[in-house]
Each structure stands twice: as C-alpha cells, then as structure tokens.
Amino acid sequence: MTAPANTSWRFARATAPAVARLAGRRWFPLWARVHHRGRKSGRELTVPVAVLITPDGFLINLPWGAQTNWVRNVLAADGCTLRWKGADHPVDQPRILDVTRARPYYPRVTWAISQRLFPADAWLLLRPVTT
C-alpha cells in the first residue's frame, strides 16, 4: 500500500491518538465525531473529523477524498449524527463540495492553515436536522 501523495497523512498519524480522545468533547470545537452505520456491515461506526461551523451547517474537510468508506456511508444513509461540543447533532442532506463552493465558508487564515495541513479537493457539508 502506498502513502497518499500529500503530506497530510503524516500530520493525521501524529495527532490521531489525541484527536481520537478529544473529538466531540465540549472544550474542543475544532474536532467532532461522525457516528454512522456501515452500508454493507450495518455496524455502528465512528470517525473523528475536523469540522468548520457555517451558517449552513457543518463543513468537513476531506483530505483523502469523497470516496472514503465513511463518507460513502453518510451519503448512502442521507445523514448521520455529529457529536460536537459534547452534544449529538442529527444532520442530513450531505453534499460534496468542490474547492470553489467550499472556499467562501473559510476565513482567509483558516483556509491557508487548512490547505497547508490538510490539502483537499472535496468537502462534506452536513445540515442540521430541523424539526
């Protein structure tokens, strides 16, 4: 198996233990946990993600692309539960965005940091479920 072409995997690997423990907790708003169901296995799964809060919902950078299993699971189920700041947020209407649609959500400095640490060509936009 070969490593991804960009260097984001090194940063992810180095920070994975800390992120896994802190994601979704109240005092760590940059990190969340996506709770989803496997489309083939049916198992409940969780993945920690970096999240940006927007007026439209939650935006997740996808440095490994939109074809990762967890993204495909969320798209197939048309939603998931996002644990953010210590609370569960049901989300639906998942949409994959390209760079031209994702860029306006980011402040300039945040965009620069995000692209340096986790360069991506796809983002996942999740909208909170309204009752």
Side-chain angles (χ1 to χ4, degrees), residues 10-126:
R10 287 187 185 113
F11 183 76
R13 178 180 250 181
T15 59
V19 169
R21 281 191 297 276
L22 302 176
R25 296 189 184 223
R26 184 176 183 187
W27 302 109
F28 297 93
L30 175 64
W31 300 101
R33 289 181 180 263
V34 173
H35 297 279
H36 59 97
R37 183 176 298 280
R39 51 188 199 291
K40 293 180 182 178
S41 69
R43 290 186 346 215
E44 291 290 326
L45 303 163
T46 302
V47 62
V49 295
V51 66
L52 179 70
I53 309 313
T54 74
D56 294 331
F58 301 94
L59 188 63
I60 300 170
N61 180 313
L62 302 174
W64 293 279
Q67 293 303 313
T68 57
N69 279 329
W70 76 266
V71 174
R72 292 168 46 195
N73 291 341
V74 170
L75 292 171
D78 197 34
C80 60
T81 300
L82 194 75
R83 180 135 185 105
W84 179 69
K85 290 180 72 173
D88 288 335
H89 301 272
V91 292
D92 64 3
Q93 301 176 25
R95 236 174 20 140
I96 300 296
L97 304 181
D98 61 12
V99 68
T100 58
R101 294 219 167 121
R103 174 62 185 96
Y105 288 110
Y106 284 85
R108 185 182 312 191
V109 172
T110 306
W111 178 258
I113 293 168
S114 171
Q115 289 304 292
R116 178 74 172 132
L117 295 177
F118 294 107
D121 60 2
W123 288 258
L124 181 64
L125 181 63
L126 299 166

